Amino acid sequence: MPRCFWCSDDPLYQAYHDHEWGTPQRDPALLFEMLLLEGFQAGLSWITVLRKRERYREVLHGFDPVKLAALSDEYIEELMQDPGIIRNRLKLKAVRRNAQAWLAVDNPGQWLWSFVGGAPKINHFTGRSDVPAVTDEAKAMSKALQKAGFTFVGPTICYAFMQATGMVMDHTTDCDRYAALLR
């Protein structure tokens, strides 16, 4: 199956590409999970985060924002000892802060989708050089998230989040998922 240029031959990566990435996602729970995971990716490769995703689901209470908003400093210190996750204190504290900010937003899923007008933006990129790392929509989302109290939500992270959750469809035209998602 022809896939996007970024997808390696790792079976986990291929499954993510083939079944998740770029597929419009409106479930607030999954949007929140992906926003946090994209924050963990900062400075790392996505496959690193993807390999740790199941452990994150375990130790971060299934990404339940109510539970995460109440994380204690002691629990964050426990997480710093867990080799199954990315042990970065700032990113772990951002989980708590972002959960608190998420809970303060009225209808966060709809709000996030508003940055693309409520419908997926379909791009028709032919190759790696066409796909941007940042767009005006991602810059606007980043600015609004930061104003709402979120951290680890720079424009590059926001654009990766938009791609992952199908707010923008950036499968390249030579990828099998491109045609499937156009339908």
Side-chain angles (χ1 to χ4, degrees):
M1 169 175 165
R3 293 182 174 91
C4 293
F5 62 88
W6 55 264
C7 188
S8 71
D9 59 359
D10 184 299
L12 182 63
Y13 220 14
Q14 289 179 351
Y16 173 74
H17 171 274
D18 296 352
H19 302 289
E20 274 188 78
W21 192 80
T23 302
Q25 181 53 252
R26 294 187 184 272
D27 176 7
L30 188 56
L31 289 170
F32 180 64
E33 175 181 334
M34 292 305 295
L35 191 62
L36 293 184
L37 290 175
E38 291 292 350
F40 278 113
Q41 181 193 357
L44 304 169
S45 67
W46 181 245
I47 191 64
T48 300
V49 175
L50 204 54
R51 288 180 180 139
K52 296 177 181 295
R53 186 182 198 180
E54 287 308 315
R55 182 66 181 152
Y56 276 121
R57 286 177 172 158
E58 293 169 18
V59 300
L60 296 180
H61 312 292
F63 292 99
D64 179 333
V66 173
K67 291 179 180 176
L68 296 179
L71 286 183
S72 68
D73 287 339
E74 294 77 21
Y75 188 66
I76 290 172
E77 288 307 313
E78 281 180 42
L79 292 176
M80 286 296 296
Q81 306 309 312
D82 189 330
I85 65 168
I86 295 160
R87 295 177 284 183
N88 179 302
R89 190 171 281 104
L90 291 176
K91 291 177 181 183
L92 289 168
K93 286 185 174 187
V95 167
R96 179 175 55 203
R97 184 169 175 180
N98 289 350
Q100 292 165 349
W102 182 268
L103 294 171
V105 173
D106 184 41
N107 200 339
Q110 183 178 352
W111 179 55
L112 290 170
W113 271 91
S114 75
F115 292 96
V116 291
K121 181 181 177 187
I122 308 298
N123 291 312
H124 307 284
F125 299 133
T126 58
R128 174 185 302 227
S129 63
D130 295 334
V131 183
V134 173
T135 62
D136 289 341
E137 294 91 347
K139 289 177 188 175
M141 178 187 279
S142 172
K143 186 175 180 179
L145 284 167
Q146 290 174 24
K147 185 176 180 182
F150 290 81
T151 60
F152 281 93
V153 288
T156 303
I157 288 171
C158 285
Y159 195 65
F161 169 75
M162 295 168 113
Q163 291 172 310
T165 59
M167 291 178 187
V168 294
M169 200 281 280
D170 278 358
H171 284 278
T172 51
T173 56
D174 61 342
C175 173
D176 272 5
R177 291 291 293 153
Y178 171 82
L181 289 170
L182 277 181
R183 288 185 224 125

